[in-house]
Amino acid sequence: MESRLQVILVEEIPERVSVLEQALKAADYQVVAKLAASEDLHAHAGRIQPNVIVIHIASPDRDTLVRICKISRTQNYPVVMFTQDEDGEKIRMAIEAGISAYIVRGLSSERVKPIIDVAVARFEKSLALHKELGQTRTMLAERKIIERAKGVLMQQRGCSEDEAYQVLRKSAMDRNRRMVEVARNIIDVEELFD
């Protein structure tokens, strides 16, 4: 049985929260917190750890975007914003702050679920791409270290590239370490005597 998505609902005008809250409940989301736009969203999100944050605000101001940016950089939650503001610059700033979906004049009960589902799916895809990019960068950096260590071994021992690779590989296996760790040690020793 799949668990319901937990939502923090942020409403600029608390009296209007019931409309969006009813739409979320009808879409089978669990509203775990209702906050005013001025409340500390970062602290609440850190404590509650929702699956998604939904914001209903006429026009996102700088403070709201700063709060969203702080959450995006430290806590990684999809954020869906329903707004009336279609200003291109505000949209750009909202996306840069980490908004997953910026919906202008689109708050209707039947649209809430598909909008949130798409925003969450795109957010998860984006996280996967960032993770893959980070892994690729790490692998490339490690490959450069190994290549540099092979160069040091080739110069010191007068051996071929393949022989230097085999020395690195055997040394890593003998010490039960990763090749990049052995390569870093070789480079560190070489720099010590440089």
Side-chain angles (χ1 to χ4, degrees), residues 151-160 163-164 167-168 171 186:
V152 169
L153 288 174
M154 290 166 56
Q155 184 179 24
Q156 288 177 347
R157 296 183 178 205
C159 61
S160 71
E163 290 169 329
V167 168
L168 273 173
S171 182
I186 290 169

Side-chain angles (χ1 to χ4, degrees), residues 34-50:
K34 294 177 272 187
L35 307 175
S38 60
E39 290 187 61
D40 187 352
L41 180 57
H42 187 267
H44 286 285
R47 184 176 44 80
I48 296 169
Q49 298 188 357

Side-chain angles (χ1 to χ4, degrees), residues 105-172:
R105 295 188 190 106
L107 182 57
S108 63
S109 298
E110 63 276 356
R111 291 188 65 205
V112 169
K113 183 171 177 38
I115 287 170
I116 292 175
D117 288 348
V118 168
V120 169
R122 290 187 70 197
F123 176 80
E124 289 171 353
K125 179 70 174 172
S126 177
L127 278 183
L129 288 173
H130 284 292
K131 182 179 179 182
E132 185 179 334
L133 178 60
Q135 289 171 339
T136 301
R137 285 180 175 158
T138 299
M139 287 173 43
L140 181 59
E142 289 178 354
R143 182 75 185 156
K144 286 180 180 179
I145 291 168
I146 291 169
E147 290 298 318
R148 186 169 166 207
K150 284 191 320 189
V152 169
L153 288 174
M154 290 166 56
Q155 184 179 24
Q156 288 177 347
R157 296 183 178 205
C159 61
S160 71
E161 184 177 355
D162 189 50
E163 290 169 329
Y165 178 82
Q166 294 305 324
V167 168
L168 273 173
R169 187 169 176 261
K170 182 176 182 336
S171 182

Side-chain angles (χ1 to χ4, degrees), residues 6-10 32-33 35 41 44-45 48 50 52-55:
Q6 296 185 337
V7 177
I8 288 181
L9 176 56
V10 179
V32 293
L35 307 175
L41 180 57
H44 286 285
I48 296 169
V52 64
I53 296 169
V54 176
I55 300 172

